[in-house]
Amino acid sequence: MADNVIALSNLVRHFGKKVVLNNISFAVPRGSVFGLLGENGAGKTTIIKHLLGLLRAQKGTVSVFGMDPVKHPEEVLGNIGYLSEERDLPSWMTINELIRYTEPFYPNWDSTYASALLEMFELNGKQKIKSLSRGQRARAAMLIALAHKPDLLLLDEPSSGLDPVVRRDILGAIIRTVIDDGRTVLFSSHLLEEVERVTDYVAMIHNGDLLFADTMDHIKASHHKITLHFDQPCETMPTLPGVQHAVGGPDEWTVICNNESNNFNSAAGSCGASIVSQVTPTLEEIFISMVGK
C-alpha cells in the first residue's frame, strides 16, 4: 500500500435512501494516470469529495498519502491540486490577482512555473476572469491546480464543455505533469475516448457500483470484438460463453466478449457460425457491453 497514493476500501455513501456509492474499493499507484469513468451521476464526483475530505466515509475507509483526509486536512490538501467541473473562480479578479491570492496557501508554490504555465496556456494575466471564455477559464483553473507542483492532481471532468483544442491542451498538461515530475493524476470523465487515450489505470462506476478497476492494458487485452457469420439466419443471438453484448442479425452478429471462457470458438462453430473478424474493442464499446446501453 506504500506505493499507492489513494486507497479506497469498501466505501459506502447514502444520500437519504439513495445508495450513491456501494462498497467501492480501488487503489491509485504513485506516478500513474488513473481514469475514473462513468455516466453523469454515476458517483464520480462523490468519490472525489471523499478524497478531498469534504465527505466522511459512512462505511469503509479512504486513504490519501496514507492518511484519512477528514482527520488530516492540512497534510492532505497541501499536496493536492484540484480542478472542479464548475471552475469556480472569483470573477472580479484578474488572472495575475488570482495567482497572487492563491500563492500564500501553498509553501511549494513555484512562481517561475506559474509564469511558464501562463505562457503555455496563452493567457493574459491582466485579463479579468469574468471576461474569460469557457476554455480560458479552464486553463486558468488548471494553472492554479498545477503551479504548486502537487504530488496528486484531482481533476473532476476537466474537459467538460470544452472544444477539442482546449481538451488537447488540458490533457497534454496532465501527461507532461506525470512524465516530467512523476506525479499522480486521478481524473473523472464521461468521455471514454479521452480516458482511453491518456490513462494507465481505469475504474468504471455505474449507478454507484464498481464494474472493474484494472490497468488499461489488461482491460483491453481481456475483451474482444468478434463478428460472426451464421450459415442459418438467427433472429436472436445464440448464447455463447463470455458474450457480454451483441448487435446485428440475422446473418451477421457482432459481439463483445471477455476471456472468461476459452471455448468460444468451438461453441460458435457448433452453432453454425464462422468468425469474420476479431479486433480489440474500444473502451466505450466495453463500457456499453457492461451497462447494456
Side-chain angles (χ1 to χ4, degrees), residues 212 214-225 242 244 256-261 280-281 286:
F212 59 70
D214 209 335
T215 66
M216 178 64 72
D217 289 344
H218 185 263
I219 292 167
K220 297 297 291 292
S222 62
H223 289 83
H224 309 283
K225 181 181 179 181
Q244 298 176 174
I256 304 294
C257 63
N258 57 36
N259 272 346
E260 290 183 359
S261 177
T280 301
I286 295 171

Side-chain angles (χ1 to χ4, degrees), residues 59-89:
K59 292 183 181 179
T61 60
V62 177
S63 173
V64 183
F65 307 120
M67 296 175 282
D68 183 337
V70 174
K71 296 179 179 178
H72 303 277
E74 292 185 14
E75 295 91 331
V76 171
L77 293 178
N79 290 297
I80 289 179
Y82 171 56
L83 177 65
S84 71
E85 183 178 5
E86 291 80 14
R87 267 84 79 169
D88 190 15
L89 303 175

Side-chain angles (χ1 to χ4, degrees), residues 73-145:
E74 292 185 14
E75 295 91 331
V76 171
L77 293 178
N79 290 297
I80 289 179
Y82 171 56
L83 177 65
S84 71
E85 183 178 5
E86 291 80 14
R87 267 84 79 169
D88 190 15
L89 303 175
S91 60
W92 54 271
M93 286 186 178
T94 65
I95 296 176
N96 283 337
E97 288 170 341
L98 176 65
I99 292 172
R100 290 196 295 271
Y101 169 78
T102 308
E103 181 175 356
F105 290 98
Y106 298 100
N108 295 326
W109 186 273
D110 189 329
S111 298
T112 302
Y113 187 42
S115 298
L117 290 170
L118 194 68
E119 182 176 352
M120 182 179 74
F121 288 146
E122 298 179 345
L123 294 171
N124 180 352
K126 297 179 180 179
Q127 193 169 359
K128 290 277 190 181
I129 290 172
K130 65 182 178 182
S131 69
L132 300 180
S133 68
R134 189 178 181 91
Q136 290 172 324
R137 185 179 287 260
R139 289 186 176 108
M142 178 61 79
L143 185 157
I144 297 302

